[in-house]
Amino acid sequence: MTFYGYKRPDGRVGVRNHVLILPASVCASDTTRIIASQVTGAVTFNNQLGCSQVPVDQAYTMDVMAGFAANPNIYGTVVVSLGCENCQMDLVVKAIEERTNKPIRQVIIQEAGGTLKAIEAAVRYAKEMVAEASLLRREEFPISELIVGTECGGSDPTSGLAANPLIGQMSDLLVEAGATTVLSETTEFIGGEHLLAARAVNQEVHDRIYEIVHRYEKSLQMVGEEVREGNPSPGNKAGGLTTLEEKSLGCIHKGGHAPVSNVYDYAKPLKSHEGLVIMDTPGNDPSSVAAMVAGGCQIIVFSSGRGTPTGNPIAPVIKITGNRETYKKMSDNIDVDASPIIYGSKTLEGMGDELLDLVVKTANGQQTKAESLGYVEISIARVCNFT
């Protein structure tokens, strides 16, 4: 099976051809919003961080910013900073250049002479990049070039019964084809971590699975909190989930049945052709999706029993529900109704093939519901992390 994508100078293959207007801090976010609104083909996001952070916290932000710029769905990046933030322009540019050799331009608001002059300069840079990007043509590639992230949010019992097993079926098919799929949300391994560790390809990966779970729990205990105080969420409980362990057993179905070949820290660069891997992310959806996209995922597949509008500015997000009532109520937001698996009108195997076909269509350029609505809100993990 193949798809049509854009070959980047760093060797990766994108499924979108965006120019990224990257805010280096919260103080540049309004400016990048205005810039992107004036350039067709440009994308941006609200960066609430980038300043007043301790080094370990700032490292998360730097990794996400550099990873977004390096993501293969991005042709090139215009970095916009205020000028006095912690995430200084030279640091951001260096972090990006360590990950990719794609085009990059810089605008510092304080040095440009204020907002209007910064906007004028950045718009010119962005329009030049968009013109260059428009000359690229999609080429045919094997689906082994895909890195697909998996996520679940607003879960209910149908997530574990249908939507997440469906994602797991798709994941197994991609792994068999030589692609990489990413299982995320460390807090939602708790109670099921032993099942994932038993699938590790070696002792190092086995131990890393336990390490990230225990590290996560300890990071919350250090500030006097317990993960179970915030997870399951009120929506999970209203939907019928009773414990974190129950939620975790549903969550890990997204990883299918393949061996776990590697464990990555938050927002670190992912490798192609690696099979099923884990990324250490929060259960919080926007920050988890952001990390996988920063790692290099071209597409995210996201299940939600209760329904969610979540998207991403860089990567298309395909949304699935196993709850037929949710699909009826939120068809504007949900791409796939997995409830036929529960009611017996379709098989898991048959819908797995359909979902893989949708992933390929999305890679070829078909918009997801979140893309058509323009949903781009993100979040970034913090030292005192989300649950």
Side-chain angles (χ1 to χ4, degrees), residues 187-236:
T187 51
E188 291 166 24
F189 301 163
I190 296 172
E193 65 266 41
H194 61 292
L195 300 175
L196 290 174
R199 291 162 52 186
V201 295
N202 56 39
Q203 190 65 39
E204 180 183 0
V205 174
H206 172 280
D207 293 347
R208 280 278 286 148
I209 292 170
Y210 281 105
E211 177 196 338
I212 63 173
V213 170
H214 295 157
R215 182 174 68 187
Y216 214 116
E217 289 186 284
K218 287 178 182 176
S219 73
L220 292 167
Q221 290 166 356
M222 285 174 63
V223 292
E225 301 291 345
E226 289 289 339
V227 64
R228 287 169 180 80
E229 293 300 315
N231 202 347
S233 70
N236 296 148

Side-chain angles (χ1 to χ4, degrees), residues 46-108:
N46 293 316
N47 183 358
Q48 294 299 309
L49 305 175
C51 197
S52 308
Q53 295 175 267
V54 296
V56 66
D57 202 46
Q58 182 175 320
Y60 285 140
T61 304
M62 289 289 292
D63 280 334
V64 168
M65 289 195 292
F68 275 12
N71 186 286
N73 292 348
I74 297 299
Y75 170 82
T77 301
V78 179
V79 184
V80 181
S81 73
L82 176 59
C84 58
E85 59 267 90
N86 284 55
C87 291
Q88 287 282 289
M89 179 65 79
D90 60 337
L91 297 177
V92 176
V93 170
K94 180 182 177 183
I96 293 171
E97 290 177 341
E98 287 174 352
R99 294 201 187 201
T100 187
N101 59 349
K102 294 184 295 185
I104 184 168
R105 301 300 293 266
Q106 309 169 37
V107 175
I108 299 175

Side-chain angles (χ1 to χ4, degrees), residues 48 61 69 72 80 113 119 167 197-198 221 238 243 256 265 300 318 375:
Q48 294 299 309
T61 304
V80 181
I119 290 169
I167 292 174
Q221 290 166 356
T243 66
D265 285 331
I300 303 294
I318 298 170
Y375 275 91

Side-chain angles (χ1 to χ4, degrees), residues 14 47 132 137 166 181 197 227 247 250 274 353 368 376 381 383:
N47 183 358
E132 294 166 3
R137 293 293 178 266
L166 175 56
T181 62
V227 64
K247 184 177 179 180
E274 201 172 25
D353 291 337
T368 64
V376 298
V383 171

